[in-house]
Amino acid sequence: MMTPMRYVVLVLAIIISLHFILSFSHEEYGRATSLSRLSEQFGGSSPQPPYKNGVPEEYYVPSTPPVQGRRANATFVLLARNGDLNGVVMSMKQVEDRFNKEFQYPYVFLNEEPFSDEFKERVSALTDAKIEFGLIPKEDWVQPDWIDETRAAEERKKMVQNNVIYGGSVAYRNMCRFNSGFFYRQELLAKYKYYWRVEPDVTFFCDLHYDPFLLMEDQKKVYGFTVSLYEYPATIPTLWDTVKEFINANPDLVDPDSAMRFISDDGGETYNNCHFWSNFEIGDLDFWRGEAYSKFFDFLDEKGGFYYERWGDAPVHSIGAALFAKKDQIHFFNDIGYRHNPFQHCPQGDLHKKGKCWCNPKENFDYEWYSCLKRYDALFA
Ligand SMILES: Nc1nc2c(ncn2[C@@H]2O[C@H](COP(=O)(O)OP(=O)(O)O)[C@@H](O)[C@H]2O)c(=O)[nH]1
Ligand SMILES: *[C@@H]1O[C@H](CO)[C@@H](O)[C@H](O)[C@H]1NC(C)=O
Ligand SMILES: [Mg+2]
């Protein structure tokens, strides 16, 4: 039992300590506000750790200036979905670090849906170069009405049963057809002659200290690659028959100095399935826009093989380049160390050192059994 006296003492003790606590914190509060007023005078706005004010400007050295002198009429091109964002910034950061922070070529992003604000902000953070975002017109993207959807669906089903990669996907087919015949006709690309195609989730291993677009221009190249390999025959059962039909109808469009031997081992009778891997391309847009390739694409498109089969933009571009350009207008960028899963080109010997490459030179696809580089070499033997 508590006596009334003890009770009074306890209550008094509580009141007194409450008074101390309140007056103390009030004093602290006063000191804090006067400190914040003081720091405001020195540029801070509220109490915060010093690092939050940033490193003073005078510590920064000028970033590498853009290369002065002759520039090419060129741009990077990235086709991507909003969902590809993380892979896109990984690729783009490497493009910037290995090459473009010095050269400052612009970027064109393309998508059949509007890019999100988040997408635009995160890619814009990576470069001072100009970036444009384009919306692909529906008619350049979706499966055309004249495709028999019943037949297309049946073929997709068969491909799924046969485990053909992307065999069931209409979106992938839209993408392949777009890359084959529409990207170079997009409004945002009209003002450019050369492009460098970049995909999400790729790796660039080496520094590039020259301008590949100027090399293309000076040497009249129209197509540049880093990896070549065999296409899955199941995706293109009737492609070569269609190509032969086109050649027979337009024999003079084929260049007499063409790279036909890269794509056929029997003078054009059959396709050997070799193609340049189109996830990396440095090319001349005017070559695709020219008469030969335009006619070629329209001819292929009418056959419907982009939907009834699963014709890829890699074999379509490669066959176009191999037929309508001169073989020496197709360039192997031996010094560009590049990976798109699961294959990589890693520069060898002096080139490895020259580019300060970080890939393992032993991991190099060039003369693996599944590579077509030996056939490219043989063009010049
Ligand atoms: N906007 C858009 N881009 C796509 C679509 N599908 C693929 N892509 C892009 O097309 C390119 C090839 O696609 P990817 O998934 O890398 O195919 P893979 O390299 O053949 O396995 C990449 O740049 C993708 O970001 C799509 O439906 N819409
Ligand atoms: C760049 O190339 C395109 C396509 O050939 C052309 O229309 C345009 O005039 C060129 N621009 C410059 C500045 O040369
Ligand atoms: Mg890819």
Side-chain angles (χ1 to χ4, degrees):
M1 263 303 282
M2 214 187 259
T3 63
M5 188 56 193
R6 278 195 181 164
Y7 184 78
V8 169
V9 168
L10 184 65
V11 168
L12 268 176
I14 290 170
I15 290 171
I16 289 164
S17 42
L18 262 177
H19 173 79
F20 265 98
I21 289 166
L22 285 173
S23 68
F24 177 76
S25 58
H26 190 260
E27 210 172 282
E28 277 294 282
Y29 176 75
R31 198 180 324 155
T33 43
S34 68
L35 260 180
S36 87
R37 240 175 272 127
L38 199 67
S39 81
E40 261 164 36
Q41 286 173 9
F42 286 93
S45 54
S46 58
Q48 61 178 3
Y51 73 87
K52 292 206 171 168
N53 292 325
V55 173
E57 273 309 317
E58 60 266 29
Y59 283 88
Y60 288 90
V61 295
S63 61
T64 323
V67 167
Q68 304 291 318
R70 195 157 70 94
R71 285 172 64 78
N73 183 356
T75 183
F76 290 97
V77 184
L78 283 102
L79 172 72
R81 294 155 288 207
N82 284 310
D84 293 323
L85 178 56
N86 286 329
V88 165
V89 291
M90 277 199 264
S91 296
M92 188 174 159
K93 183 68 185 175
Q94 295 176 72
V95 167
E96 286 294 311
D97 285 351
R98 301 284 83 73
F99 168 73
N100 202 46
K101 66 172 187 275
E102 285 175 43
F103 289 88
Q104 300 276 310
Y105 279 103
Y107 289 81
V108 172
F109 284 86
L110 299 172
N111 189 353
E112 83 283 10
E113 288 176 7
F115 282 111
S116 65
D117 290 340
E118 184 195 5
F119 189 104
K120 291 184 192 173
E121 277 164 29
R122 283 188 60 197
V123 303
S124 300
L126 302 179
T127 185
D128 295 325
K130 181 172 83 173
I131 306 185
E132 291 184 289
F133 298 93
L135 182 63
I136 299 165
K138 251 207 163 50
E139 61 272 23
D140 293 356
W141 186 266
V142 298
Q143 178 173 309
D145 300 338
W146 46 263
I147 292 288
D148 175 354
E149 170 54 18
T150 314
R151 180 179 159 198
E154 242 164 62
E155 298 299 336
R156 291 199 299 271
K157 205 167 134 194
K158 275 190 227 158
M159 282 202 187
V160 172
Q161 281 160 2
N162 295 329
N163 293 315
V164 175
I165 185 169
Y166 300 118
S169 169
V170 177
Y172 194 83
R173 286 174 171 79
N174 292 341
M175 182 276 289
C176 288
R177 177 170 173 266
F178 174 81
N179 275 326
S180 297
F182 295 92
F183 87 94
Y184 51 87
R185 294 191 261 177
Q186 297 301 294
E187 204 178 307
L188 291 180
L189 290 178
K191 56 184 171 294
Y192 299 114
K193 180 167 171 65
Y194 295 101
Y195 71 101
W196 180 335
R197 172 170 162 186
V198 178
E199 273 203 7
D201 296 299
V202 300
T203 311
F204 290 97
F205 295 113
C206 316
D207 293 340
L208 195 62
H209 282 299
Y210 70 90
D211 185 333
F213 299 120
L214 289 179
L215 181 138
M216 299 285 288
E217 186 179 327
D218 292 344
Q219 304 191 2
K220 308 225 173 343
K221 308 283 188 192
V222 299
Y223 193 81
F225 72 96
T226 54
V227 171
S228 64
L229 72 168
Y230 297 99
E231 180 58 296
Y232 304 110
T235 64
I236 48 165
T238 68
L239 176 60
W240 192 254
D241 285 342
T242 310
V243 170
K244 281 200 290 188
E245 209 183 308
F246 179 81
I247 295 173
N248 288 334
N250 303 274
D252 28 305
L253 289 181
V254 178
D255 195 288
D257 258 332
S258 80
M260 174 64 108
R261 281 189 298 138
F262 176 73
I263 51 176
S264 176
D265 302 337
D266 50 18
E269 195 42 46
T270 60
Y271 182 35
N272 61 22
N273 297 318
C274 277
H275 65 286
F276 306 115
W277 218 17
S278 61
N279 47 64
F280 171 101
E281 294 184 315
I282 297 179
D284 179 348
L285 294 162
D286 287 334
F287 175 73
W288 306 127
R289 292 168 184 147
E291 189 208 347
Y293 186 82
S294 299
K295 264 185 131 170
F296 177 65
F297 172 76
D298 290 343
F299 190 86
L300 298 189
D301 197 28
E302 274 170 31
K303 300 285 176 177
F306 289 106
Y307 293 97
Y308 301 135
E309 298 178 5
R310 208 222 64 196
W311 295 352
D313 54 286
V316 171
H317 278 188
S318 302
I319 292 169
L323 293 180
F324 311 129
K326 298 185 188 308
K327 65 184 183 199
D328 55 16
Q329 291 183 292
I330 301 174
H331 184 67
F332 174 43
F333 277 102
N334 195 14
D335 42 16
I336 298 186
Y338 176 75
R339 181 182 183 88
H340 177 297
N341 276 331
F343 304 120
Q344 70 181 39
H345 166 65
C346 184
Q348 306 287 295
D350 290 348
L351 285 180
H352 195 274
K353 169 76 186 142
K354 195 164 190 172
K356 301 196 172 77
C357 305
W358 66 272
C359 45
N360 179 351
K362 289 180 204 139
E363 275 179 53
N364 180 33
F365 188 62
D366 293 4
Y367 298 108
E368 295 288 314
W369 71 273
Y370 207 60
S371 167
C372 286
L373 190 61
K374 56 190 175 295
R375 279 209 183 70
Y376 176 81
D377 294 345
L379 292 172
F380 307 95

